[in-house]
Amino acid sequence: MHVDLVGLGLAVLVAGLVARLARRVGLPSVPCYMLVGILLGPGTPGPSVISHPEDLGLLAALGLVLLLFHLGVEFPLEQVLGGGRRLFLAAGCYIGLNVGAGFLFGLALGWGGAEALVVAGALGVSSSAIVTKLLVELHRLTNAETPVILGIIVIEDLFLAFYLALLSPVLSDAESPLALVGEVAVSFGFLALLFAVARFGARAVARLVGDREDELLIVLTVGLAVLVAGVSEEVGVSDAIGALMIGLVISRTRLKERLERLVLPLRDVLATVFFVAFGLSIEVGEMGAVVVPVLVAVLVTLLGNVTAGIVAARLFGFNQRGAANIGLTVLGRGEFSLILATLALGAGLDARIGPFVALYVLVLAVVSPVLAARSHLLARVMPDRLLRANWTYVREETISTSCTHLDRIRVTGTDTAVCEECVRLGTHWVQLRLCVTCGHVACCDDSPHRHARAHAEAAGHPVIQSAQPGEDWRFCFVDDTLVRAPMGSPRR
């Protein structure tokens, strides 16, 4: 037992140190935990700190339960429902493109139908933790496309519950099509029951686990989460579903904020054990056989994400930079991909799934932050015909919702088709800009005299609008960025 504790303590300590170093260079922590497990495990040449990864099975299972439970507690259901039809269309397009492409890719690998479903989920759903981390580190919280990105990952989390309910019977290897239908019905029936509890029984659950003392509250809540996860597994549904759904129940109670705070440290420690344990189970020698499939999978994911980003930009009227930001920010894969691989290996599916998903997540962990930080390069080559408006002049510019000068908008259209100052001087102009405060029309910054900027400085009118046919974007000279009101606000 002493050796087991030493091995576990060393693995978790090294995982934390490596993650700390990775964060200094902008890389997420989840793949670091997995990488440490691979390097310190029996599947790698050299000394192994934990020779029998299966000994960590119960701790890893608790990490998975708390990971999904906390995800359910954080789930902002009202935000999703208030996002409107366009948000659901954007998220549906993203999920459909990526999961569909992943399923076809899984079939092309020839590993089997159940394996293709696992590959579809692993390739199809992004990492909420990685996405939110990128938004903070890249200072994009006030970008116009950020609410769309957050809406997509939230709806992905909801999709996760349904996907696990569908996948669990498949992984159980039903004896006949009728038996499979029956198990799917049981899974969705159990899911519906938990949704009903979330809708109508949240108060009863709050009375059951609620207590003024934090100690008793966390003990009762974790006990309930583990119990529901266990019951889920007993009825043939993934324990992950039960944990996620009981978290969703808690999210609808007055205990939500306290439990978010109390569960977080426990979740982080045990989830680290889960990721390390996953890495410990990987045979490094098997990774060579999946290098080519992983590289193809990364390209498939990149293509699917960029396509979904363009669709979302069309729906919400963003430019090329917004489309690129959406597609590349949600590129990272992490927790859910590893959870699916763990379930697949536990069900006895093709052993290549483990190293395939591990290497896939590692590659995207490095690639996604690099590409997201350089999204302007993709925006530069993205043609206008893919979007609803003509953004050629400002395709690489960020659209911000933080401008404090939008209350100065008074004029939104004009019939003037010349720069009068340029006409008087007998010079030419490149494009025209409309002052949205007074209606003055003047030439752009690429014109010889930059009359629009001169007017803005002289009159103190900071916001202009393109006066070119087919364009209606607005730019603030003070904030030096494209601007628009936050999503849901009426456009003037």
Side-chain angles (χ1 to χ4, degrees):
M1 183 57 141
H2 177 67
V3 175
D4 291 340
L5 288 176
V6 169
L8 175 61
L10 181 60
V12 172
L13 177 61
V14 172
L17 292 174
V18 171
R20 185 166 68 184
L21 290 174
R23 287 191 174 184
R24 291 179 180 176
V25 295
L27 295 178
S29 56
V30 168
C32 295
Y33 301 150
M34 181 180 60
L35 181 61
V36 168
I38 293 173
L39 296 177
L40 299 182
T44 305
S48 173
V49 300
I50 298 178
S51 301
H52 302 285
E54 61 274 10
D55 292 344
L56 297 180
L58 183 58
L59 278 178
L62 287 174
L64 173 61
V65 167
L66 289 180
L67 189 67
L68 271 295
F69 170 75
H70 196 265
L71 182 63
V73 173
E74 289 184 314
F75 190 81
L77 185 61
E78 287 74 15
Q79 176 184 329
V80 175
L81 295 178
R85 184 175 63 90
R86 289 184 300 171
L87 180 58
F88 279 93
L89 285 174
C93 174
Y94 178 85
I95 294 170
L97 281 171
N98 284 278
V99 173
F103 180 70
L104 293 176
F105 179 74
L107 291 178
L109 291 174
W111 293 351
E115 286 83 356
L117 285 173
V118 173
V119 170
L123 269 62
V125 178
S126 57
S127 167
S128 302
I130 293 174
V131 171
T132 52
K133 182 175 183 294
L134 279 176
L135 289 173
V136 172
E137 292 185 351
L138 296 176
H139 307 290
R140 292 178 179 174
L141 293 179
T142 59
N143 283 15
E145 75 277 355
T146 293
V148 178
I149 293 173
L150 294 175
I152 287 174
I153 63 173
V154 166
I155 294 174
E156 277 187 309
D157 292 340
L158 184 61
F159 167 78
L160 183 155
F162 290 97
Y163 197 77
L164 286 174
L166 172 65
L167 193 60
S168 293
V170 175
L171 296 180
S172 68
D173 194 19
E175 297 178 355
S176 67
L178 184 61
L180 177 61
V181 171
E183 291 182 9
V184 170
V186 170
S187 294
F188 280 95
F190 188 74
L191 193 64
L193 174 63
L194 291 176
F195 267 117
V197 173
R199 176 66 178 85
F200 302 107
R203 289 186 179 180
V205 172
R207 286 195 295 268
L208 175 65
V209 301
D211 197 276
R212 293 182 179 179
E213 295 186 25
D214 287 349
E215 176 188 347
L216 294 179
L217 174 61
I218 191 64
V219 168
L220 291 168
T221 302
V222 170
L224 178 63
V226 173
L227 174 62
V228 173
V231 171
S232 300
E233 196 169 32
E234 288 295 321
V235 300
V237 180
S238 168
D239 53 358
I241 295 180
L244 177 68
M245 294 307 300
I246 199 63
L248 185 60
V249 173
I250 294 294
S251 74
R252 300 184 62 80
T253 72
R254 55 185 172 78
L255 304 172
K256 170 183 168 67
E257 294 182 0
R258 283 179 66 196
L259 283 170
E260 276 186 297
R261 171 177 55 85
L262 293 172
V263 173
L264 186 60
L266 186 60
R267 181 210 71 172
D268 286 343
V269 173
L270 289 177
T272 300
V273 175
F274 168 75
F275 294 125
V276 170
F278 178 84
L280 290 168
S281 67
I282 299 300
E283 293 284 345
V284 173
E286 296 177 356
M287 281 192 169
V290 297
V291 169
V292 173
V294 165
L295 294 179
V296 175
V298 169
L299 291 176
V300 168
T301 303
L302 180 59
L303 180 60
N305 273 38
V306 171
T307 302
I310 292 171
V311 173
R314 283 179 59 87
L315 286 170
F316 287 91
F318 298 144
N319 64 348
Q320 285 89 335
R321 183 65 180 272
N325 283 349
I326 294 172
L328 298 179
T329 303
V330 294
L331 183 61
R333 300 295 189 265
E335 318 87 276
F336 186 47
S337 300
L338 300 179
I339 289 169
L340 283 178
T342 301
L343 295 176
L345 294 175
L349 298 189
D350 195 307
R352 289 173 291 184
I353 285 181
F356 170 81
V357 172
L359 187 57
Y360 171 74
V361 170
L362 284 173
V363 171
L364 282 182
V366 176
V367 169
S368 59
V370 173
L371 293 182
R374 292 161 177 77
S375 59
H376 65 283
L377 299 177
L378 175 61
R380 186 177 300 169
V381 299
M382 199 177 289
D384 274 342
R385 64 177 178 273
L386 297 177
L387 304 172
R388 289 185 179 275
N390 182 7
W391 297 95
T392 302
Y393 195 83
V394 289
R395 66 173 64 201
E396 297 179 49
E397 298 288 338
T398 295
I399 303 177
S400 174
T401 60
S402 62
C403 177
T404 58
H405 308 101
L406 297 181
D407 59 343
R408 310 285 292 276
I409 297 174
R410 302 286 185 273
V411 182
T412 59
T414 182
D415 293 327
T416 303
V418 298
C419 173
E420 295 180 356
E421 287 95 334
C422 287
V423 171
R424 282 197 297 270
L425 293 172
T427 60
H428 71 279
W429 62 87
V430 178
Q431 290 191 351
L432 298 176
R433 305 290 179 248
L434 167 70
C435 173
V436 296
T437 300
C438 67
H440 180 75
V441 175
C443 58
C444 68
D445 280 359
D446 281 347
S447 303
H449 297 287
R450 310 174 83 182
H451 286 129
R453 182 179 290 273
H455 168 78
E457 293 173 353
H461 298 166
V463 182
I464 59 167
Q465 178 175 307
S466 174
Q468 296 299 119
E471 299 181 9
D472 63 353
W473 51 263
R474 292 167 180 163
F475 186 89
C476 177
F477 285 115
V478 174
D479 294 325
D480 193 31
T481 183
L482 292 173
V483 295
R484 73 161 39 168
M487 190 168 67
S489 302
R491 172 107 187 233
R492 300 189 205 185

